Amino acid sequence: MQSFILLSSLLAFFASAVYGTALTYKLGANEKSCFFTFVEQKGAKVAFYFAVQSGGSFDVDYTVVGPNEKVILDGSKERQGDFVFTANDVGEYRFCFNNEMSTFAEKMVDFEIAVENEQRAQLPSKQGTSPEQTSVLEESILKLSAQLSTINRNQKYFRTRENRNFSTVRSTERRIFNFSVIEGIMMVTMAGLQVFIVRFFFQGARKGYV
């Protein structure tokens, strides 16, 4: 029963120590959009992940700016990114996506911003529970959290690959259809041209006999 209470306390602590936002945003052509998160504690870890799911060449420009307008991360024409940095200042952090390079193509961008305050749980001591047991349980929770994070990232990666492959298949289908239509039109045109040429020769031969 005490182990269950300790486990519940640790789970509640880690759930409250990490908070984040996962969104899917449709970035229009020639559009720049920014999203904000507020870091309340200096030294907190900030995780930033994004992936372009569809549109154009599956690339986008991005910028991460700190409270003092200092550029922390930036890149151009990237398909996806996965970063973790330390927030050295308390305040509002800005995460921007820029699609001004595209004239017509819209981009569907999946992204996640998570802030983790690195604190250690201060659990009250309980009868019959040694510090070693608490430490082992805490390490198990940390390993489980890391494994879940890895699984989550792998799922996002495979989702991105699936969307891109599906987009490639649809593009190939459209090209095959367009090629088939053009080929059919060319065949009909050639057949009509051949009929016209044959009739022209026969009409010329009849006029020669006359």
Side-chain angles (χ1 to χ4, degrees):
M1 182 65 179
Q2 290 180 348
S3 298
F4 176 76
I5 294 174
L6 283 174
L7 179 61
S8 301
S9 300
L10 280 170
L11 288 173
F13 171 79
F14 286 113
S16 61
V18 180
Y19 58 93
T21 301
L23 295 172
T24 299
Y25 183 75
K26 188 175 184 179
L27 191 65
N30 296 316
E31 180 184 356
K32 180 179 179 181
S33 293
C34 296
F35 303 86
F36 303 86
T37 188
F38 191 86
V39 177
E40 300 176 351
Q41 180 179 347
K42 186 176 180 179
K45 296 293 184 182
V46 181
F48 174 50
Y49 167 84
F50 75 90
V52 182
Q53 300 292 343
S54 64
S57 300
F58 301 95
D59 56 358
V60 71
D61 299 342
Y62 69 91
T63 307
V64 179
V65 182
N68 299 323
E69 295 300 320
K70 180 181 178 181
V71 177
I72 300 173
L73 297 169
D74 67 335
S76 61
K77 296 183 178 181
E78 297 287 345
R79 293 190 168 190
Q80 65 185 67
D82 194 354
F83 311 98
V84 177
F85 62 90
T86 302
N88 295 321
D89 299 296
V90 176
E92 192 173 62
Y93 286 76
R94 184 168 74 247
F95 302 79
C96 296
F97 296 104
N98 191 342
N99 193 32
E100 293 177 349
M101 58 182 173
S102 297
T103 307
F104 303 104
E106 297 178 338
K107 308 289 177 65
M108 192 70 70
V109 182
D110 279 357
F111 68 95
E112 182 176 0
I113 303 169
V115 179
E116 178 180 354
N117 296 320
E118 290 190 334
Q119 303 173 356
R120 304 297 292 182
Q122 300 295 329
L123 297 175
S125 59
K126 295 183 178 295
Q127 287 185 343
T129 303
S130 63
E132 290 79 8
Q133 289 177 329
T134 304
S135 178
V136 170
L137 183 59
E138 185 177 350
E139 292 299 325
S140 299
I141 295 294
L142 288 172
K143 290 180 180 179
L144 181 60
S145 177
Q147 291 173 356
L148 290 174
S149 178
T150 301
I151 292 173
N152 187 29
R153 292 175 187 272
N154 288 336
Q155 287 178 335
K156 291 178 181 178
Y157 171 75
F158 287 120
R159 179 188 175 189
T160 301
R161 288 287 302 272
E162 179 185 7
N163 289 337
R164 290 175 181 171
N165 291 337
F166 184 68
S167 179
T168 302
V169 169
R170 286 189 301 179
S171 176
T172 304
E173 288 179 348
R174 286 196 299 267
R175 292 179 181 179
I176 292 174
F177 175 77
N178 293 336
F179 179 78
S180 300
V181 171
I182 294 174
E183 186 179 17
I185 294 174
M186 290 180 63
M187 290 178 64
V188 172
T189 303
M190 290 296 296
L193 184 61
Q194 288 176 355
V195 171
F196 174 78
I197 293 174
V198 171
R199 290 184 61 183
F200 178 78
F201 283 149
F202 276 105
Q203 288 177 358
R206 290 178 181 177
K207 289 179 180 179
Y209 282 118
V210 173

